[in-house]
Amino acid sequence: EELRLALKFFAALQGMPVSTDPNVVPMIGAAKLQTHVQFCADTLEKAQNVLDAARREEEAAAARREEQRQRLKAETALKTAQEARKAEEGRQAMAEAQQQALANEERLKILRQTWVVGGDAVAYTDDPNAEPLDSESTRSPPRKEKKEKKKKME
């Protein structure tokens, strides 16, 4: 880049009109100026291969960086999608478990309401100490009565 700027600068100096006033001394001679322009042009031509290789290398590095950025972006998107999928599966499993629990609770409630003890239906209550509605038919007689009935039968 600097070599190109130097070439432009010296070429511009070379293109400037030379003063015809004998009192003005030129800062740089025309031959020296021509030598500088020629040197910059030759060096730039020789360095062109190196410059092209450097440019290609920079483009390849930029392409690798872009590819890595895209890969990282894809990995991040995949990870986010997997996390979202796992969260959704967790919510679905929770909803299914809750639905199953409600269904089981409803089924148990129905079974308790239709539960048969000793041939008679018993009304369900939440009180575990509550007596059945028909206490005589669902209760077994006390042990003494059983022994007495056995003796009478013999």
Side-chain angles (χ1 to χ4, degrees):
E1 185 67 28
E2 291 176 2
L3 198 53
R4 285 190 185 121
L5 288 174
L7 180 61
K8 283 183 181 180
F9 175 73
F10 289 125
L13 281 178
Q14 191 176 22
M16 289 179 68
V18 179
S19 176
T20 55
D21 188 5
N23 294 333
V24 176
V25 178
M27 297 287 282
I28 189 165
K32 259 191 174 180
L33 199 54
Q34 178 60 31
T35 305
H36 280 348
V37 169
Q38 189 62 40
F39 171 78
C40 289
D42 290 344
T43 306
L44 187 60
E45 186 179 320
K46 291 175 185 175
Q48 194 62 39
N49 292 337
V50 175
L51 293 173
D52 289 343
R55 183 182 41 79
R56 284 190 304 270
E57 187 176 311
E58 182 59 35
E59 288 173 356
R64 284 191 304 272
R65 283 191 304 269
E66 179 63 22
E67 181 182 329
Q68 185 177 12
R69 188 184 67 77
Q70 291 293 335
R71 187 174 42 247
L72 181 62
K73 184 178 176 182
E75 288 173 1
T76 303
L78 180 62
K79 187 175 181 180
T80 304
Q82 287 175 342
E83 288 173 357
R85 182 182 48 83
K86 284 183 181 181
E88 181 62 29
E89 286 175 356
R91 283 191 294 271
Q92 285 179 352
M94 183 70 87
E96 288 175 6
Q98 190 175 19
Q99 192 176 22
Q100 183 67 34
L102 288 173
N104 287 344
E105 190 176 314
E106 186 65 29
R107 192 169 53 244
L108 180 61
K109 192 175 187 181
I110 291 170
L111 286 174
R112 283 182 179 168
Q113 289 175 353
T114 59
W115 192 30
V116 177
V117 176
D120 292 335
V122 177
Y124 171 74
T125 64
D126 287 331
D127 184 10
N129 297 326
E131 293 288 325
L133 294 177
D134 189 5
S135 62
E136 294 297 320
S137 66
T138 57
R139 273 191 164 175
S140 59
R143 287 191 164 254
K144 288 183 182 179
E145 293 176 8
K146 281 186 178 179
K147 287 182 181 178
E148 289 176 10
K149 283 185 179 180
K150 259 188 179 178
K151 287 182 182 178
K152 287 181 184 178
M153 293 178 114
E154 292 176 355

